[in-house]
Amino acid sequence: MPKVNVKLKVNGDPYEVAVNPSGTLVEVLREDLHLTGTKIGCQTGDCGACTVLVNGKSVCSCLTLAVEAQEKEIITIEGVGLSYDKLHPIQEAFINEGAIQCGYCTPGMVLSAKHLLDKNPNPSELQIRQALSGNLCRCTGYARIVKAIEVAGEKMKNPVKEK
Amino acid sequence: MSIPKFTYLAPKTLKEALIMRASHGSKSSIMAGGTDLLIKMGLRTLQPEFVIGLNSVPEIDYITLRPGGELAIGPMAKLSAVVEDAEVEKNFPALSEAASVTATVQIRNMGTLIGNICNASPSADNATPLMIYDTKVVIIRSDGERVVPIEEFFKGPGKSVLETGELVKEFLIPIPEKSTGSNYQKVSTRSKVDIAGICVSALLTLNNDGTVSKARIALGAVAPKPIRVVKAEKILTGKTPTKELFNDAAKIAREEASPISDMRASAEYRKAMVEVLTRRALDASLAAATKKKN
């Protein structure tokens, strides 16, 4: 099966790669673009480790064909931060609230949180939990993750000006 | 679990997709959101040589009111768009609710309503709401189109009336009369994300004197395909709603269900829950219809 040329826009940067038509977005992100922050988990759309944003919507990159991600704005965990060395408030809150253990689910969790907070800056605890229904964590136990998203939401609403 | 190799075809119109489908036949699969198809391909239960992606067909991602009072839903309309649509929420609350509990946020952002139905799973969350609203399925093939009522669409687990050279162009759902209430109920083992163990939708339209002018009850995950309980609908029609009447209708629903036991629930539990959920769905439908009538 011949490869096809695919133009992707990831974290604002344009890429052109030759991919197998059966190549999923997560495979291309990790193996061709070397953006290994996005994880491969269940590959059946249950665990959310591969979550990225496509045109602002959270999707499972393991169930997205790279050929179908063309001409769309893709955001991965590498592009969430405000700059190269400045973390996003969601990332900071995950660290400060101890919402990370092994870290495998974290990139997906952060992107699901961003998907939620971009639409709804004042989510209730229930809304946060519903927004994370497609992200499984097997070690921290969710409570700290939910707390981190609450803290991040507050911070995003009232950014503290730095000197 | 990599996906086996295939040739990806990107039609620019539905007509072009039909031509591709006609020429490649059963060696091809149509892909909308891909959330079911790619999993089946990864598991090797389906190995098409050609995948016909509807992703690049423009203007088929719509939910729109048509003159004459029908809501039209296109083949690339995502489940999340169904959840967020104000017309769906206002006129078809059971569909809005069912779509909102289908799978997870990510899957709803990718998967389409029409794809969920074309898979013809007996437990598809959105099948029973579409049935109580008398949805019409518009099916096209290269030489014409036909319209199938949704309750005739399903043939069995994974099987529908769709033939190889056909695809679903859209759903048309008539806006219910004003004094109509409807409701969706679901039981599953692991909160609402999980595939439904049992799901029930009901709809009641009331006359001015409070009697039932129209009743619909549909059951999911308790038979080889989603089913309407016409027998129960008949005993409700023309009557004044009472607790006893709803109990009788719920008992009929229980008798009409022919569930299997599987990892999600036992057949006995499913039968018992059909009765409970039917009663709950009728109670909620009556409350909503009464509120709208007054």
Side-chain angles (χ1 to χ4, degrees), chain A residues 1 43-44 51 58 68 135, chain B residues 1 7-8 39 55 106 109:
Chain A
M1 228 89 17
Q43 299 192 73
T44 51
T51 303
S58 61
E68 292 205 335
N135 293 81
Chain B
M1 194 192 73
T7 300
Y8 180 82
I39 293 173
N55 185 53
Q106 291 94 320
N109 281 338

Side-chain angles (χ1 to χ4, degrees), chain B residues 217-262:
Chain B
I217 298 172
L219 316 178
V222 293
K225 57 182 185 175
I227 55 167
R228 280 254 311 266
V229 192
V230 179
K231 237 163 126 183
E233 294 171 3
K234 276 194 183 141
I235 70 149
L236 292 165
T237 310
K239 308 254 179 59
T240 303
T242 60
K243 208 173 164 217
E244 291 69 36
L245 186 64
F246 283 0
N247 283 343
D248 291 345
K251 284 207 175 72
I252 294 173
R254 178 189 183 130
E255 285 158 20
E256 295 285 299
S258 55
I260 53 165
S261 292
D262 66 10

